[in-house]
mmCIF file of all heavy atoms in Angstrom:
data_model
loop_
_atom_site.group_PDB
_atom_site.id
_atom_site.type_symbol
_atom_site.label_atom_id
_atom_site.label_comp_id
_atom_site.label_asym_id
_atom_site.label_seq_id
_atom_site.Cartn_x
_atom_site.Cartn_y
_atom_site.Cartn_z
ATOM 1 N N LEU A 19 -106.065 78.713 109.091
ATOM 2 C CA LEU A 19 -107.052 79.825 109.043
ATOM 3 C C LEU A 19 -107.331 80.424 110.408
ATOM 4 O O LEU A 19 -107.874 81.556 110.466
ATOM 5 C CB LEU A 19 -108.251 79.429 108.348
ATOM 6 C CG LEU A 19 -108.148 78.886 106.906
ATOM 7 C CD1 LEU A 19 -109.128 77.866 106.583
ATOM 8 C CD2 LEU A 19 -108.153 80.035 105.930
ATOM 9 N N GLN A 20 -106.958 79.736 111.467
ATOM 10 C CA GLN A 20 -107.197 80.217 112.790
ATOM 11 C C GLN A 20 -105.933 80.824 113.427
ATOM 12 O O GLN A 20 -105.883 81.211 114.609
ATOM 13 C CB GLN A 20 -107.622 79.045 113.715
ATOM 14 C CG GLN A 20 -108.993 78.465 113.306
ATOM 15 C CD GLN A 20 -109.389 77.275 114.255
ATOM 16 O OE1 GLN A 20 -108.686 76.356 114.435
ATOM 17 N NE2 GLN A 20 -110.564 77.376 114.770
ATOM 18 N N THR A 21 -104.832 80.934 112.645
ATOM 19 C CA THR A 21 -103.539 81.365 113.243
ATOM 20 C C THR A 21 -103.196 82.765 112.812
ATOM 21 O O THR A 21 -103.038 83.650 113.661
ATOM 22 C CB THR A 21 -102.510 80.291 112.813
ATOM 23 O OG1 THR A 21 -102.769 79.015 113.347
ATOM 24 C CG2 THR A 21 -101.063 80.777 113.353
ATOM 25 N N SER A 22 -102.992 82.954 111.480
ATOM 26 C CA SER A 22 -102.627 84.275 111.070
ATOM 27 C C SER A 22 -103.136 84.455 109.620
ATOM 28 O O SER A 22 -103.437 83.482 108.968
ATOM 29 C CB SER A 22 -101.084 84.532 111.110
ATOM 30 O OG SER A 22 -100.451 83.725 110.155
ATOM 31 N N ALA A 23 -103.211 85.658 109.165
ATOM 32 C CA ALA A 23 -103.721 85.925 107.821
ATOM 33 C C ALA A 23 -102.884 85.253 106.748
ATOM 34 O O ALA A 23 -103.406 84.756 105.806
ATOM 35 C CB ALA A 23 -103.848 87.415 107.532
ATOM 36 N N GLU A 24 -101.567 85.215 106.984
ATOM 37 C CA GLU A 24 -100.672 84.626 105.953
ATOM 38 C C GLU A 24 -100.487 83.152 106.069
ATOM 39 O O GLU A 24 -99.994 82.466 105.113
ATOM 40 C CB GLU A 24 -99.341 85.339 106.026
ATOM 41 C CG GLU A 24 -98.531 85.142 107.331
ATOM 42 C CD GLU A 24 -98.869 86.107 108.468
ATOM 43 O OE1 GLU A 24 -99.898 86.819 108.236
ATOM 44 O OE2 GLU A 24 -98.120 86.133 109.506
ATOM 45 N N SER A 25 -100.850 82.533 107.150
ATOM 46 C CA SER A 25 -100.523 81.071 107.418
ATOM 47 C C SER A 25 -101.076 80.171 106.375
ATOM 48 O O SER A 25 -100.385 79.270 105.849
ATOM 49 C CB SER A 25 -101.088 80.621 108.800
ATOM 50 O OG SER A 25 -100.245 81.180 109.848
ATOM 51 N N PRO A 26 -102.390 80.304 105.900
ATOM 52 C CA PRO A 26 -102.886 79.359 104.881
ATOM 53 C C PRO A 26 -102.141 79.475 103.558
ATOM 54 O O PRO A 26 -101.859 78.533 102.811
ATOM 55 C CB PRO A 26 -104.314 79.704 104.754
ATOM 56 C CG PRO A 26 -104.531 81.003 105.422
ATOM 57 C CD PRO A 26 -103.460 81.155 106.400
ATOM 58 N N LEU A 27 -101.699 80.761 103.302
ATOM 59 C CA LEU A 27 -100.960 80.924 102.006
ATOM 60 C C LEU A 27 -99.594 80.367 102.033
ATOM 61 O O LEU A 27 -99.109 79.747 101.013
ATOM 62 C CB LEU A 27 -100.898 82.416 101.698
ATOM 63 C CG LEU A 27 -100.799 82.962 100.264
ATOM 64 C CD1 LEU A 27 -101.946 82.346 99.425
ATOM 65 C CD2 LEU A 27 -100.805 84.497 100.189
ATOM 66 N N ILE A 28 -98.934 80.455 103.144
ATOM 67 C CA ILE A 28 -97.546 79.914 103.349
ATOM 68 C C ILE A 28 -97.668 78.399 103.271
ATOM 69 O O ILE A 28 -96.852 77.749 102.580
ATOM 70 C CB ILE A 28 -96.913 80.380 104.628
ATOM 71 C CG1 ILE A 28 -96.803 81.925 104.754
ATOM 72 C CG2 ILE A 28 -95.460 79.849 104.752
ATOM 73 C CD1 ILE A 28 -96.389 82.448 106.062
ATOM 74 N N PHE A 29 -98.510 77.841 104.056
ATOM 75 C CA PHE A 29 -98.730 76.400 104.065
ATOM 76 C C PHE A 29 -98.949 75.848 102.666
ATOM 77 O O PHE A 29 -98.378 74.874 102.227
ATOM 78 C CB PHE A 29 -99.883 76.014 105.027
ATOM 79 C CG PHE A 29 -99.941 74.561 105.403
ATOM 80 C CD1 PHE A 29 -99.427 74.176 106.579
ATOM 81 C CD2 PHE A 29 -100.489 73.576 104.593
ATOM 82 C CE1 PHE A 29 -99.582 72.808 106.995
ATOM 83 C CE2 PHE A 29 -100.579 72.265 104.961
ATOM 84 C CZ PHE A 29 -100.018 71.891 106.125
ATOM 85 N N SER A 30 -99.897 76.506 101.985
ATOM 86 C CA SER A 30 -100.296 76.052 100.650
ATOM 87 C C SER A 30 -99.056 76.205 99.635
ATOM 88 O O SER A 30 -98.772 75.261 98.867
ATOM 89 C CB SER A 30 -101.409 76.969 100.145
ATOM 90 O OG SER A 30 -101.636 76.740 98.732
ATOM 91 N N MET A 31 -98.380 77.284 99.706
ATOM 92 C CA MET A 31 -97.206 77.494 98.822
ATOM 93 C C MET A 31 -96.126 76.288 99.065
ATOM 94 O O MET A 31 -95.596 75.772 98.127
ATOM 95 C CB MET A 31 -96.529 78.809 99.118
ATOM 96 C CG MET A 31 -95.237 79.041 98.385
ATOM 97 S SD MET A 31 -94.433 80.574 98.835
ATOM 98 C CE MET A 31 -93.956 80.335 100.549
ATOM 99 N N LEU A 32 -95.810 76.071 100.355
ATOM 100 C CA LEU A 32 -94.792 75.037 100.607
ATOM 101 C C LEU A 32 -95.274 73.675 100.139
ATOM 102 O O LEU A 32 -94.482 72.827 99.683
ATOM 103 C CB LEU A 32 -94.410 75.065 102.072
ATOM 104 C CG LEU A 32 -93.765 76.343 102.527
ATOM 105 C CD1 LEU A 32 -93.522 76.326 104.080
ATOM 106 C CD2 LEU A 32 -92.414 76.538 101.783
ATOM 107 N N LEU A 33 -96.574 73.426 100.371
ATOM 108 C CA LEU A 33 -97.103 72.122 99.952
ATOM 109 C C LEU A 33 -96.994 71.932 98.409
ATOM 110 O O LEU A 33 -96.569 70.848 97.932
ATOM 111 C CB LEU A 33 -98.530 72.072 100.333
ATOM 112 C CG LEU A 33 -99.174 70.615 100.468
ATOM 113 C CD1 LEU A 33 -98.432 69.724 101.411
ATOM 114 C CD2 LEU A 33 -100.625 70.708 100.961
ATOM 115 N N LYS A 34 -97.306 73.048 97.765
ATOM 116 C CA LYS A 34 -97.205 72.930 96.264
ATOM 117 C C LYS A 34 -95.750 72.658 95.843
ATOM 118 O O LYS A 34 -95.499 71.920 94.855
ATOM 119 C CB LYS A 34 -97.661 74.266 95.695
ATOM 120 C CG LYS A 34 -99.183 74.535 95.706
ATOM 121 C CD LYS A 34 -99.474 76.010 95.340
ATOM 122 C CE LYS A 34 -100.971 76.306 95.492
ATOM 123 N NZ LYS A 34 -101.280 77.715 95.200
ATOM 124 N N ILE A 35 -94.823 73.304 96.504
ATOM 125 C CA ILE A 35 -93.423 73.118 96.182
ATOM 126 C C ILE A 35 -92.970 71.662 96.279
ATOM 127 O O ILE A 35 -92.428 71.063 95.427
ATOM 128 C CB ILE A 35 -92.509 74.066 97.067
ATOM 129 C CG1 ILE A 35 -92.621 75.499 96.599
ATOM 130 C CG2 ILE A 35 -91.078 73.599 96.966
ATOM 131 C CD1 ILE A 35 -92.106 76.515 97.475
ATOM 132 N N PHE A 36 -93.277 71.051 97.448
ATOM 133 C CA PHE A 36 -92.903 69.751 97.807
ATOM 134 C C PHE A 36 -93.737 68.620 97.069
ATOM 135 O O PHE A 36 -93.194 67.463 97.012
ATOM 136 C CB PHE A 36 -92.766 69.490 99.310
ATOM 137 C CG PHE A 36 -91.634 70.231 99.918
ATOM 138 C CD1 PHE A 36 -91.826 71.473 100.522
ATOM 139 C CD2 PHE A 36 -90.380 69.715 99.900
ATOM 140 C CE1 PHE A 36 -90.730 72.127 101.102
ATOM 141 C CE2 PHE A 36 -89.247 70.322 100.424
ATOM 142 C CZ PHE A 36 -89.448 71.600 101.054
ATOM 143 N N LEU A 37 -94.899 68.944 96.679
ATOM 144 C CA LEU A 37 -95.668 67.944 95.940
ATOM 145 C C LEU A 37 -95.106 67.584 94.577
ATOM 146 O O LEU A 37 -95.304 66.557 94.047
ATOM 147 C CB LEU A 37 -97.186 68.438 95.792
ATOM 148 C CG LEU A 37 -98.085 68.312 97.004
ATOM 149 C CD1 LEU A 37 -99.325 69.023 96.812
ATOM 150 C CD2 LEU A 37 -98.275 66.818 97.322
ATOM 151 N N ILE A 38 -94.334 68.553 94.046
ATOM 152 C CA ILE A 38 -93.814 68.314 92.683
ATOM 153 C C ILE A 38 -92.260 68.291 92.690
ATOM 154 O O ILE A 38 -91.676 68.037 91.517
ATOM 155 C CB ILE A 38 -94.261 69.296 91.700
ATOM 156 C CG1 ILE A 38 -93.834 70.763 92.021
ATOM 157 C CG2 ILE A 38 -95.790 69.246 91.515
ATOM 158 C CD1 ILE A 38 -94.291 71.798 90.944
ATOM 159 N N GLN A 39 -91.580 68.491 93.843
ATOM 160 C CA GLN A 39 -90.115 68.454 93.845
ATOM 161 C C GLN A 39 -89.686 67.746 95.120
ATOM 162 O O GLN A 39 -90.097 68.066 96.207
ATOM 163 C CB GLN A 39 -89.587 69.831 93.745
ATOM 164 C CG GLN A 39 -88.070 69.910 93.570
ATOM 165 C CD GLN A 39 -87.507 71.267 93.240
ATOM 166 O OE1 GLN A 39 -88.294 72.207 93.320
ATOM 167 N NE2 GLN A 39 -86.307 71.415 92.938
ATOM 168 N N SER A 40 -88.777 66.827 94.997
ATOM 169 C CA SER A 40 -88.279 66.073 96.180
ATOM 170 C C SER A 40 -87.358 67.009 97.018
ATOM 171 O O SER A 40 -86.838 67.957 96.428
ATOM 172 C CB SER A 40 -87.562 64.810 95.753
ATOM 173 O OG SER A 40 -86.332 65.237 95.123
ATOM 174 N N MET A 41 -87.162 66.605 98.198
ATOM 175 C CA MET A 41 -86.249 67.399 99.044
ATOM 176 C C MET A 41 -84.796 67.312 98.516
ATOM 177 O O MET A 41 -84.126 68.332 98.549
ATOM 178 C CB MET A 41 -86.178 66.814 100.509
ATOM 179 C CG MET A 41 -87.504 67.157 101.243
ATOM 180 S SD MET A 41 -87.374 66.645 103.053
ATOM 181 C CE MET A 41 -86.179 67.796 103.677
ATOM 182 N N LYS A 42 -84.414 66.202 98.014
ATOM 183 C CA LYS A 42 -83.080 66.104 97.434
ATOM 184 C C LYS A 42 -82.868 66.986 96.247
ATOM 185 O O LYS A 42 -81.881 67.742 96.172
ATOM 186 C CB LYS A 42 -82.760 64.655 97.018
ATOM 187 C CG LYS A 42 -81.348 64.369 96.539
ATOM 188 C CD LYS A 42 -81.089 62.908 96.351
ATOM 189 C CE LYS A 42 -79.715 62.595 95.975
ATOM 190 N NZ LYS A 42 -78.705 63.034 96.969
ATOM 191 N N SER A 43 -83.862 67.061 95.340
ATOM 192 C CA SER A 43 -83.790 67.881 94.197
ATOM 193 C C SER A 43 -83.763 69.427 94.580
ATOM 194 O O SER A 43 -83.081 70.213 94.036
ATOM 195 C CB SER A 43 -84.943 67.629 93.244
ATOM 196 O OG SER A 43 -85.055 68.635 92.251
ATOM 197 N N LEU A 44 -84.626 69.737 95.614
ATOM 198 C CA LEU A 44 -84.643 71.143 96.094
ATOM 199 C C LEU A 44 -83.363 71.456 96.717
ATOM 200 O O LEU A 44 -82.892 72.652 96.506
ATOM 201 C CB LEU A 44 -85.834 71.277 96.996
ATOM 202 C CG LEU A 44 -86.299 72.681 97.309
ATOM 203 C CD1 LEU A 44 -87.763 72.780 97.587
ATOM 204 C CD2 LEU A 44 -85.537 73.307 98.439
ATOM 205 N N GLU A 45 -82.743 70.581 97.430
ATOM 206 C CA GLU A 45 -81.461 70.903 98.044
ATOM 207 C C GLU A 45 -80.398 71.142 96.959
ATOM 208 O O GLU A 45 -79.539 72.124 97.081
ATOM 209 C CB GLU A 45 -80.978 69.660 98.922
ATOM 210 C CG GLU A 45 -79.632 69.920 99.598
ATOM 211 C CD GLU A 45 -79.323 68.808 100.509
ATOM 212 O OE1 GLU A 45 -80.075 67.781 100.545
ATOM 213 O OE2 GLU A 45 -78.186 68.935 101.086
ATOM 214 N N GLN A 46 -80.404 70.406 95.857
ATOM 215 C CA GLN A 46 -79.447 70.641 94.798
ATOM 216 C C GLN A 46 -79.750 72.052 94.127
ATOM 217 O O GLN A 46 -78.811 72.754 93.804
ATOM 218 C CB GLN A 46 -79.648 69.588 93.739
ATOM 219 C CG GLN A 46 -79.131 68.159 94.198
ATOM 220 C CD GLN A 46 -79.525 67.034 93.218
ATOM 221 O OE1 GLN A 46 -80.295 67.194 92.348
ATOM 222 N NE2 GLN A 46 -78.893 65.918 93.463
ATOM 223 N N THR A 47 -81.036 72.363 94.001
ATOM 224 C CA THR A 47 -81.426 73.659 93.452
ATOM 225 C C THR A 47 -80.830 74.766 94.404
ATOM 226 O O THR A 47 -80.196 75.762 93.876
ATOM 227 C CB THR A 47 -82.945 73.840 93.368
ATOM 228 O OG1 THR A 47 -83.421 72.925 92.410
ATOM 229 C CG2 THR A 47 -83.315 75.227 92.880
ATOM 230 N N ALA A 48 -81.022 74.627 95.645
ATOM 231 C CA ALA A 48 -80.555 75.625 96.635
ATOM 232 C C ALA A 48 -79.048 75.786 96.569
ATOM 233 O O ALA A 48 -78.560 76.956 96.574
ATOM 234 C CB ALA A 48 -80.921 75.250 98.055
ATOM 235 N N VAL A 49 -78.308 74.735 96.550
ATOM 236 C CA VAL A 49 -76.878 74.741 96.571
ATOM 237 C C VAL A 49 -76.263 75.207 95.174
ATOM 238 O O VAL A 49 -75.406 76.118 95.087
ATOM 239 C CB VAL A 49 -76.269 73.409 96.939
ATOM 240 C CG1 VAL A 49 -74.720 73.319 96.849
ATOM 241 C CG2 VAL A 49 -76.634 73.040 98.385
ATOM 242 N N ASN A 50 -76.783 74.620 94.068
ATOM 243 C CA ASN A 50 -76.127 74.812 92.802
ATOM 244 C C ASN A 50 -76.584 76.029 92.096
ATOM 245 O O ASN A 50 -75.844 76.676 91.257
ATOM 246 C CB ASN A 50 -76.388 73.601 91.890
ATOM 247 C CG ASN A 50 -75.776 72.309 92.426
ATOM 248 O OD1 ASN A 50 -74.774 72.402 93.119
ATOM 249 N ND2 ASN A 50 -76.443 71.194 92.240
ATOM 250 N N ILE A 51 -77.883 76.393 92.299
ATOM 251 C CA ILE A 51 -78.436 77.590 91.621
ATOM 252 C C ILE A 51 -78.474 78.847 92.475
ATOM 253 O O ILE A 51 -78.158 79.913 91.990
ATOM 254 C CB ILE A 51 -79.769 77.244 91.030
ATOM 255 C CG1 ILE A 51 -79.706 76.094 90.076
ATOM 256 C CG2 ILE A 51 -80.473 78.487 90.427
ATOM 257 C CD1 ILE A 51 -81.057 75.649 89.505
ATOM 258 N N CYS A 52 -78.782 78.632 93.729
ATOM 259 C CA CYS A 52 -78.992 79.715 94.570
ATOM 260 C C CYS A 52 -77.815 80.035 95.584
ATOM 261 O O CYS A 52 -77.825 80.919 96.452
ATOM 262 C CB CYS A 52 -80.263 79.552 95.432
ATOM 263 S SG CYS A 52 -81.755 79.373 94.432
#
């Protein structure tokens, strides 16, 4: 909240992503789907 207007939103979004999906699973999503 002391850095930029968007920083808390980006941090929160990425935390939400990794709290429910492992890096390995996300890597597979990136390669196979995207």
Side-chain angles (χ1 to χ4, degrees):
L19 298 150
Q20 295 179 308
T21 299
S22 68
E24 64 273 10
S25 286
L27 208 54
I28 303 169
F29 193 101
S30 169
M31 173 186 68
L32 294 175
L33 199 58
K34 290 171 183 175
I35 287 171
F36 286 98
L37 281 170
I38 60 175
Q39 186 172 11
S40 69
M41 288 186 68
K42 187 172 182 59
S43 170
L44 198 147
E45 182 176 0
Q46 291 172 347
T47 298
V49 172
N50 298 330
I51 297 176
C52 301

